[in-house]
Amino acid sequence: QVHLVESGGGLVQAGGSLRLSCAASGRTVSRLALGWFRQAPGKEREFVAGISWGGSSTYDADSVKGRFTISRDNAKNTVYLQMNSLKPEDTAVYRCAAPFREFARVGQSSQEYQYWGQGTQVTVSS
C-alpha cells in the first residue's frame, strides 16, 4: 500500500506561482514512478507531469510545458510540482499518483496508476 498526501494548493492570481508537494509513505517509494494529474469541474482527469522512479526522466503535458516542473526527493519520499506563469485554465484539483508496479515506466494514463492522493485545490484568478 502507498499513502499519498498533497499540499500547497491555494488561490493565486494569473501569472503567479505555486509549489505543490506530495508526501508518500508505505512501500519503497523510491522504486515507484510518480505522476501529477488534475481535474477541473465538468472535465476529464488529465495527466500533468510524471517522473521516473530515479528522477532522471520527466514528462510534461503540452499544456504545461515550459511552465510546470516536476521533481522528487527520494530521501524525503516527496514529489513536487513547481507551477509558474499560472493561467485561469490551470484551475483544478491536483492529485499525485503512483503505480502498483515498482520500476514501471512513467505512464500518462490514469489507468496506469493504482494509488491516489486526496488532492489539493488550485484556483487561478484572472
Side-chain angles (χ1 to χ4, degrees), residues 2-8 20-25 36 77-79 94-97 116-120:
V2 177
H3 187 54
L4 303 168
V5 179
E6 302 94 338
S7 61
L20 305 184
S21 299
C22 173
S25 60
W36 284 98
N77 285 344
T78 302
V79 62
Y94 286 70
R95 301 176 73 182
C96 64
W116 293 85
Q118 290 297 310
T120 185

Side-chain angles (χ1 to χ4, degrees), residues 37 45 97-100 107-116:
F37 288 77
R45 183 182 299 171
F100 175 81
Q108 299 189 30
S109 166
S110 61
Q111 295 182 346
E112 297 180 76
Y113 294 83
Q114 288 71 48
Y115 302 110
W116 293 85

Side-chain angles (χ1 to χ4, degrees), residues 4-80:
L4 303 168
V5 179
E6 302 94 338
S7 61
L11 173 64
V12 64
Q13 288 189 331
S17 298
L18 282 174
R19 187 195 197 202
L20 305 184
S21 299
C22 173
S25 60
R27 291 169 51 193
T28 308
V29 176
S30 60
R31 299 177 181 176
L32 301 176
L34 294 167
W36 284 98
F37 288 77
R38 68 185 182 186
Q39 188 167 18
K43 293 189 176 181
E44 302 260 330
R45 183 182 299 171
E46 65 170 336
F47 172 81
V48 175
I51 188 165
S52 60
W53 60 272
S56 60
S57 299
T58 61
Y59 303 85
D60 305 315
D62 289 342
S63 58
V64 305
K65 276 190 193 301
R67 300 188 299 123
F68 291 11
T69 302
I70 188 171
S71 62
R72 67 188 294 164
D73 184 340
N74 281 344
K76 296 181 178 179
N77 285 344
T78 302
V79 62
Y80 305 97

